[in-house]
Amino acid sequence: MTSSRNDFSGPDARGHFGIYGGRYVAETLMPLLLEVEKAYDAAKADPAFQRELEYYFTHYTGRPSPLYYAQRITEHCGGAKVYFKRDELNHTGAHKINNCIGQALLAKRLGKKRIIAETGAGQHGVATATVCALFGLECIIYMGARDIERQSPNVFRMKLLGAQVVPVESGSRTLKDAMNEALRDWVSRVDDTLYLIGTAAGPHPYPAMVRDFQSVIGRETREQIMQAEGRLPDTLVACIGGGSNAIGLFHPFLHDENVALVGVEAAGHGVESGAHAASLAKGSPGVLHGSRTYLLQDDDGQILEAHSISAGLDYPGIGPEHAFLHDTGRVRYVTATDTEALDAFQRCAKLEGILPALEPSHALAHVLTLAPTLPRDHLLVMNLCGRGDKDIFTVAAALGITL
């Protein structure tokens, strides 16, 4: 049985969220995925694993991250009361560390000494390299050559942390191609390697496992907004690439029907331009990287090149749970262009003294449009899931500024 249309408790036993998800992989990978699933199911039920995870969240990552009332953004918008869930204040500067600590602890449980990962914007690569240094694990990061060029600070950080960064020259030389190479590596090193996937995508159990580790964001938000306002938020907003930060925020609220959930995809130069990464707005169901989901593809099923000014959103697919939530209507998915994200980046810097990453700048772009249309007692929480240090060269180039 697959998940029913209005059942948000998925995935089912075969890893499906409705018709999405599953395990569409080579036979060589099936024993590995079953091993990971078995180990994760045991870890979830093990209080010692949960205590260790909580220890590192608190004393290494710096959780809970603050829920911050963005007063000047609120005053600028003149409508809803805007809060930022500040996961950019985590160690390594993004939400990625939540999932990486969880999977690294799982690797220890499995006795795996070699970790591979893919990265686009570099934040997952940095977080993976960080936890590998922490736990003494070998670390290999696959990264598209184009992303290496536009995310050089993060590349250097990964190398300083002891990781080997492997440039990927195939395809569009971005995140999709890095994930392809990581999967090829995993097939060739089945005995000692764990693939530490960076988003809520890929074959089962990864979408659910990543979601579970990232759901600390939503659980904290729920508690913090109750302390601050005495009630649940009216609207939650998060950017969507693969979708880990968004599902982490949304999941603890899926059954709260009065809480509106909004995911913001990257529209690039515009969804009608063909140069975008809006898989839900302009894609169709298909199979990529081991699961069925919405993809940017042509009529023959060939994957189309995605585009976003944000390397972390530059992916032609989306996590399968988001595909399911899109079809059920539980989450509303919208888009923001490169230009809108750049404007939001600058607005946040000048009004709040915070440099957001280009990824959550897409979410903020929508907030800047949405908040003025809402009443002043409306509570809106946006996941500020990454800091913008890594993006200053990209932003400068887009603005025509020479550093």
Side-chain angles (χ1 to χ4, degrees):
M1 292 287 291
T2 56
S3 303
S4 69
R5 182 172 175 80
N6 296 313
D7 177 10
F8 303 126
S9 62
D12 66 13
R14 295 187 299 133
H16 288 93
F17 302 90
I19 65 170
Y20 303 103
R23 272 190 286 244
Y24 297 86
V25 296
E27 287 185 19
T28 315
L29 281 180
M30 283 300 291
L32 296 173
L33 292 169
L34 293 171
E35 180 186 28
V36 172
E37 180 183 15
K38 181 179 179 181
Y40 179 57
D41 286 344
K44 281 192 295 185
D46 185 352
F49 180 89
Q50 298 302 325
R51 284 194 300 270
E52 190 172 17
L53 181 65
E54 184 63 29
Y55 171 84
Y56 284 106
F57 275 177
T58 302
H59 299 288
Y60 192 71
T61 302
R63 304 208 70 90
S65 64
L67 183 69
Y68 166 68
Y69 169 44
Q71 182 175 348
R72 295 199 67 209
I73 288 284
T74 298
E75 292 170 352
H76 169 79
C77 291
K81 191 172 185 179
V82 177
Y83 281 86
F84 291 161
K85 178 56 173 167
R86 297 202 57 191
D87 252 43
E88 98 282 7
L89 293 178
N90 292 336
H91 180 43
T92 73
H95 67 291
K96 296 294 187 180
I97 192 73
N98 304 325
N99 166 55
C100 289
I101 287 178
Q103 288 195 59
L105 291 175
L106 196 65
K108 285 179 58 183
R109 195 178 184 95
L110 286 163
K112 305 292 186 181
K113 301 294 187 183
R114 180 177 181 268
I115 299 295
I116 58 172
E118 86 296 332
T119 195
Q123 287 303 110
H124 175 58
V126 169
T128 301
T130 297
V131 298
C132 286
L134 175 65
F135 296 122
L137 303 169
E138 183 183 358
C139 182
I140 296 90
I141 306 292
Y142 289 92
M143 189 171 189
R146 181 165 177 257
D147 291 337
I148 286 176
E149 293 168 3
R150 56 181 175 169
Q151 297 291 338
S152 57
N154 272 345
V155 175
F156 187 48
R157 290 169 75 193
M158 285 182 261
K159 291 179 178 179
L160 286 174
L161 290 161
Q164 177 188 352
V165 181
V166 181
V168 177
E169 297 285 356
S170 59
S172 59
R173 304 160 69 235
T174 56
L175 181 57
K176 165 182 68 71
D177 313 290
M179 198 165 186
N180 289 339
E181 290 303 316
L183 285 167
R184 291 189 186 102
D185 181 312
W186 201 17
V187 172
S188 70
R189 294 283 297 265
V190 295
D191 295 328
D192 65 346
T193 298
L194 179 70
Y195 183 7
L196 205 161
I197 290 181
T199 192
H204 181 63
Y206 282 97
M209 181 168 64
V210 173
R211 174 201 70 195
D212 292 348
F213 288 136
Q214 292 293 359
S215 288
V216 65
I217 300 169
R219 293 195 301 273
E220 288 178 2
T221 298
R222 193 181 185 91
E223 181 178 337
Q224 290 167 325
I225 197 70
M226 290 297 294
Q227 290 176 348
E229 297 284 352
R231 65 182 180 88
L232 293 181
D234 297 295
T235 301
L236 302 177
V237 181
C239 65
I240 303 282
S244 63
N245 94 86
I247 202 64
L249 177 64
F250 296 164
H251 192 259
F253 294 90
L254 287 178
H255 291 94
D256 297 296
E257 295 181 359
N258 292 328
V259 180
L261 309 176
V262 184
V264 186
E265 294 190 288
H269 298 317
V271 293
E272 301 304 328
S273 70
H276 61 79
S279 304
L280 290 174
K282 287 294 182 179
S284 58
V287 174
L288 179 67
H289 296 144
S291 73
R292 179 178 171 83
T293 187
Y294 275 84
L295 306 172
L296 297 178
Q297 56 187 334
D298 63 20
D299 292 340
D300 296 320
Q302 297 300 305
I303 302 301
L304 300 174
E305 184 174 343
H307 163 77
S308 173
I309 192 171
S310 162
L313 302 183
D314 196 357
Y315 182 68
I318 195 164
E321 189 164 7
H322 285 293
F324 172 69
L325 293 171
H326 169 269
D327 283 7
T328 63
R330 178 62 186 95
V331 180
R332 182 168 66 95
Y333 294 90
V334 299
T335 63
T337 65
D338 289 353
T339 299
E340 291 166 337
L342 277 169
D343 288 345
F345 180 101
Q346 296 172 85
R347 188 85 62 187
C348 190
K350 293 173 181 175
L351 288 178
E352 294 291 349
I354 298 171
L355 295 181
L358 283 171
E359 289 83 1
S361 293
H362 287 72
L364 181 57
H366 183 68
V367 168
L368 293 173
T369 300
L370 177 64
T373 71
L374 299 170
R376 292 180 184 272
D377 62 350
H378 191 101
L379 300 180
L380 190 159
V381 177
M382 189 203 87
N383 196 10
L384 209 165
C385 60
R387 67 178 182 233
D389 312 40
K390 69 182 179 61
D391 291 319
I392 57 172
F393 297 105
T394 300
V395 171
L399 297 177
I401 298 171
T402 302
L403 297 180

